[in-house]
């Protein structure tokens, strides 16, 4: 998977990871991938809802240790 941009939001709680991801996606071209790393457990459901509401595709989600990884594809 070719990640075009990575965003580290470790230590930030909702809604900051979503707001930062939204800002990054706005600066990206259609089809590009954004990887967001978060430590907020609520980010799993937050990014699922964000993808549904915005039309951006949630390509992958995984938990590695205390990190929650989200990969979004810009619509």
């Amino acid at each position: 998977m070719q990640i075009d941009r990575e965003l580290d939001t470790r230590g930030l709680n909702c809604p900051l990871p979503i707001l930062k991801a939204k800002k990054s996606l706005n600066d990206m071209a259609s089809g590009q991938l954004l990887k967001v790393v978060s430590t907020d457990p609520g980010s799993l459901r937050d990014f699922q809802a964000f993808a549904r509401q915005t039309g951006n595709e949630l390509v992958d989600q995984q938990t590695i240790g205390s990190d929650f990884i989200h990969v979004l594809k810009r619509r």
Side-chain angles (χ1 to χ4, degrees), residues 40-68:
D40 179 7
S43 67
L44 289 171
R45 70 175 186 284
D46 292 344
F47 275 97
Q48 291 166 7
F50 174 75
R52 276 194 308 274
Q53 292 168 1
T54 62
N56 294 298
E57 182 185 348
L58 185 59
V59 178
D60 188 32
Q61 278 189 312
Q62 51 185 297
T63 304
I64 301 173
S66 62
D67 289 344
F68 301 96

Side-chain angles (χ1 to χ4, degrees), residues 8-66:
D8 185 351
T9 64
R10 290 180 186 106
L12 300 177
N13 291 322
C14 181
L16 289 174
I18 293 288
L19 294 174
K20 288 185 175 287
K22 182 177 180 181
K23 185 176 185 315
S24 285
L25 284 166
N26 285 338
D27 296 336
M28 296 171 69
S30 181
Q32 287 189 310
L33 295 179
L34 171 66
K35 176 181 176 181
V36 183
V37 182
S38 176
T39 50
D40 179 7
S43 67
L44 289 171
R45 70 175 186 284
D46 292 344
F47 275 97
Q48 291 166 7
F50 174 75
R52 276 194 308 274
Q53 292 168 1
T54 62
N56 294 298
E57 182 185 348
L58 185 59
V59 178
D60 188 32
Q61 278 189 312
Q62 51 185 297
T63 304
I64 301 173
S66 62

